[in-house]
Amino acid sequence: MYNFGFLYKIPTYEFARNSRSIKAYKASPARHGSSQFQLRQYAEATLGSGSLRQAVLLPEGEDMNEWLAVNTVDFYNQINMLYGTVTEFCSPQSCPEMKATDEYEYLWQDSDKFKRPTKLSAPDYIEHLMNWVQAYFENESVFPSKIGVPFPSDFPHIIRTVFKRLFRVYAHIYCHHFEVITQLGMQPHLNTSLKHFVYFAKEFDLIERDDLGPLNDFIDRMLAEGKNK
């Protein structure tokens, strides 16, 4: 139904974002020699090699929760910036519901204001989502920034929930704003970001196939072609 052609190119995000987009989250600067600093350097180096399959693998001897944390922040920023390119075209009027295809509408729920699943416009849903994720990042009991402070025992479960919800932004962009993405020349960046996200999610069992529903066929083709690269 959708023709999302893709290129395997590591994206560099250097474009200006619409003022309605959420501010990128900046993690506390990691100190030289710290685990977070070394993991971020490793991630950048492996991405620079051009192999997304290798880039997602847990570095030997490193803590999995640290690796999940570093990469989750990076994916959040990627998705946030990609959505920032289409915010001018994603309004409560043009996107009154947070949908992918007609079969997939996403309702917002949290532990604060929306205790029951609630219909929101796409921009409102995404704003609540990004703020909800950032609240986790800023919570030291969930994303500790100090060396030696342990992650909570349910950290992988939290990350699974974050990934499940972040994917919905990809799904909305592909199904409702792909033409704009193509016109802006952002198609290679979007496709590479999604491919990286899916490889990482599959490597650490962070998302169910059913949750990829609106893009499953496209993702299957993308990964199958990637095997031949």
Side-chain angles (χ1 to χ4, degrees), residues 181-199:
I181 287 287
T182 301
Q183 291 172 353
L184 293 173
M186 295 302 302
Q187 179 182 344
H189 305 311
L190 176 62
N191 288 332
T192 302
S193 179
L194 174 64
K195 186 180 181 184
H196 185 193
F197 180 92
V198 172
Y199 271 139

Side-chain angles (χ1 to χ4, degrees), residues 85-102:
T85 67
V86 302
T87 52
E88 182 181 351
F89 309 95
C90 185
S91 68
Q93 292 72 39
S94 64
C95 301
E97 300 164 320
M98 179 58 180
K99 283 186 173 182
T101 62
D102 287 339

Side-chain angles (χ1 to χ4, degrees), residues 21-186:
S21 61
I22 312 302
K23 292 181 179 179
Y25 175 73
K26 294 184 179 179
S28 300
R31 292 179 293 174
H32 286 267
S34 72
S35 178
Q36 289 183 1
F37 179 82
Q38 292 170 350
L39 285 176
R40 190 166 296 279
Q41 282 194 319
Y42 179 89
E44 291 173 356
T46 50
L47 277 173
S49 72
S51 173
L52 292 177
R53 284 173 172 273
Q54 289 298 119
V56 303
L57 301 179
L58 177 67
E60 185 176 355
E62 296 295 344
D63 179 71
M64 186 179 75
N65 286 337
E66 289 273 11
W67 188 237
L68 293 178
V70 166
N71 281 276
T72 300
V73 171
D74 287 344
F75 283 122
Y76 168 92
N77 284 331
Q78 284 185 37
I79 293 168
N80 186 30
M81 287 189 285
L82 286 165
Y83 179 68
T85 67
V86 302
T87 52
E88 182 181 351
F89 309 95
C90 185
S91 68
Q93 292 72 39
S94 64
C95 301
E97 300 164 320
M98 179 58 180
K99 283 186 173 182
T101 62
D102 287 339
E103 294 80 14
Y104 290 88
E105 179 180 357
Y106 305 116
L107 305 180
W108 181 253
Q109 184 175 15
D110 56 35
S111 60
D112 185 20
K113 183 178 179 181
F114 300 95
K115 297 186 182 298
R116 295 183 178 180
T118 305
K119 182 189 294 285
L120 296 176
S121 69
D124 285 344
Y125 182 103
I126 293 171
E127 181 175 5
H128 279 91
L129 168 58
M130 293 305 189
N131 288 334
W132 174 80
V133 175
Q134 184 155 336
Y136 272 128
F137 293 162
E138 294 174 348
N139 186 338
E140 283 287 327
S141 68
V142 179
F143 275 75
S145 61
K146 296 180 180 179
I147 297 175
V149 177
F151 287 85
S153 60
D154 63 342
F155 188 70
H157 173 74
I158 292 171
I159 296 302
R160 288 188 185 96
T161 305
V162 169
F163 265 66
K164 177 181 178 178
R165 290 185 165 189
L166 284 178
F167 172 78
R168 297 169 180 177
V169 184
Y170 283 118
H172 180 73
I173 293 173
Y174 271 101
C175 294
H176 293 273
H177 302 294
F178 190 72
E179 183 177 353
V180 172
I181 287 287
T182 301
Q183 291 172 353
L184 293 173
M186 295 302 302

